[in-house]
Amino acid sequence: MLLLFSIHGAASADCQPGELFDHASAEHTDLSRLLEKAKAGNAEAQFRVGLAYDMGRGVPCDYAQAASWYRKAADRGHPGAQNNLGGLYVRGLGVEQNDTEAVRWYARAAAEGHQAAQNNLGYMYAQGRGVSQSDESAVLWYRKAADQGHAGGETNLAFMYSAGRGVPEDSKQAIKLYQKAAKGGFAPAEFNLGLLYFHGIAVPQNLPEAMQWFRKAAEHGSAEAQNQLGFVYSYGKGVKQDYAQAEEWYRLAAANGSSEAQHNLGVLMNLMSGTAGDSSAVATAAAPGTQAPIAITTEDDVAIGRLSLLGGKR
């Protein structure tokens, strides 16, 4: 299953464009006005200038500048800036990597009810990063985020119920939470539902249903789901075997950073060419409880909506 981490940003250090201003054509004018307000001490403007540098919108991407402006806004009590500054500390972008400092900023934002920060703080407790590991504390913060409708919090809480971590194992509750998050088109929840139906966990095995969820997750950008589709088409698991479809999905997943898909593509090429290749080389697909955490959207107050992978221990 997936544990979700709604840190701001992506796993790589590359800036990715996002929707920052209401009118893209007036971007530079808006940024100039924001800078004036930011320099005058307006916390919201400081946050948005930080976001501009973070995302490379209207200015060159500069994480050090992003951290500087986030800090100014965070010191003035802006929860979004506190959350995003915590994310920079987690990944060591623009600041020295420091999980303890990340937790400090996440905690400040979470105490103000910031959904993504609550989910992030839960993740840090679940992983024991910057704090003593505590599944009970992780569940507490995931629940706070989930109660506000945060899809990452819902999906993480579902994982905790399915694994019996910090709460009694409750597959029905896990399914309900996954379905709630999936209704909004949240790819990790869609993928996890696909896994449950594919393996027949907590629900009767239903391969066509699994395929529907895998496809939805894949179309919403999940490299894991794209790899899974490659696997099922490669071996005819619940669908007619189709090497061309398998290759297409593997290549897409590999382009989205899946090393597993890169390996599977090599195995597929050997199958298609009729060569055995390495006798130990077999395609791999997702199994319950094996997935790495992922990073989701940036600060929720601004519609950026980017998905990316972040490795970590379960």
Side-chain angles (χ1 to χ4, degrees):
M1 303 299 172
L2 292 168
L3 264 181
L4 305 180
F5 188 27
S6 41
I7 68 165
H8 94 287
S12 71
D14 297 331
C15 290
Q16 296 186 25
E19 193 64 33
L20 178 60
F21 303 109
D22 291 335
H23 305 286
S25 61
E27 186 174 287
H28 296 286
T29 300
D30 289 347
L31 183 57
S32 297
R33 292 172 181 170
L34 278 177
L35 279 169
E36 290 179 8
K37 292 181 179 180
K39 290 176 180 178
N42 182 287
E44 177 66 18
Q46 290 169 340
F47 162 69
R48 288 180 176 269
V49 171
L51 193 61
Y53 278 110
D54 189 355
M55 302 295 291
R57 289 287 285 184
V59 291
C61 180
D62 188 329
Y63 290 117
Q65 282 285 349
S68 176
W69 285 107
Y70 282 153
R71 190 181 304 279
K72 292 177 189 296
D75 286 339
R76 290 180 176 271
H78 192 290
Q82 292 165 348
N83 176 67
N84 283 11
L85 184 58
L88 290 180
Y89 273 110
V90 164
R91 293 184 296 127
L93 295 176
V95 292
E96 185 175 349
Q97 201 282 332
N98 188 323
D99 284 343
T100 301
E101 192 68 4
V103 167
R104 184 170 78 88
W105 288 110
Y106 284 149
R108 287 183 61 178
E112 295 298 320
H114 191 276
Q115 300 171 24
Q118 290 170 340
N119 184 52
N120 288 341
L121 188 57
Y123 173 91
M124 299 301 273
Y125 274 110
Q127 300 294 302
R129 294 183 59 175
V131 290
S132 297
Q133 198 281 335
S134 170
D135 285 343
E136 291 73 18
S137 294
V139 166
L140 183 152
W141 288 107
Y142 287 153
R143 193 182 304 280
K144 287 181 182 292
D147 286 346
Q148 295 194 73
H150 188 274
E154 291 166 348
T155 305
N156 276 346
L157 187 57
F159 170 84
M160 301 302 270
Y161 272 113
S162 67
R165 289 181 53 179
V167 288
E169 184 176 346
D170 188 336
S171 298
K172 290 183 178 179
Q173 183 65 15
I175 290 288
K176 287 180 181 178
L177 286 162
Y178 281 137
Q179 289 175 334
K180 186 178 179 182
K183 281 183 179 179
F186 188 58
E190 293 169 335
F191 176 57
N192 280 357
L193 278 174
L195 284 180
L196 294 179
Y197 281 108
F198 189 79
H199 294 283
I201 299 172
V203 291
Q205 187 180 44
N206 187 328
L207 297 183
E209 183 76 7
M211 283 294 294
Q212 288 184 33
W213 287 113
F214 288 150
R215 190 173 295 277
K216 286 182 179 181
E219 291 173 349
H220 290 148
S222 169
E224 289 89 353
Q226 292 159 358
N227 177 65
Q228 189 79 11
L229 285 172
F231 177 84
V232 298
Y233 277 113
S234 181
Y235 290 95
K237 301 287 187 179
V239 294
K240 183 178 179 180
Q241 189 176 50
D242 187 331
Y243 284 166
Q245 281 276 353
E247 180 181 359
E248 180 179 340
W249 285 113
Y250 280 151
R251 288 193 183 280
L252 183 58
N256 285 330
S258 172
S259 58
E260 190 173 31
Q262 292 174 344
H263 164 80
N264 289 349
L265 185 59
V267 174
L268 178 65
M269 292 298 100
N270 285 337
L271 288 173
M272 293 173 68
S273 66
T275 59
D278 183 351
S279 61
S280 66
V282 294
T284 58
T290 63
Q291 299 307 298
I294 74 160
I296 57 173
T297 58
T298 326
E299 210 294 302
D300 289 344
D301 294 337
V302 178
I304 294 170
R306 64 189 186 189
L307 295 171
S308 56
L309 293 176
L310 175 70
K313 297 180 181 178
R314 176 180 164 185

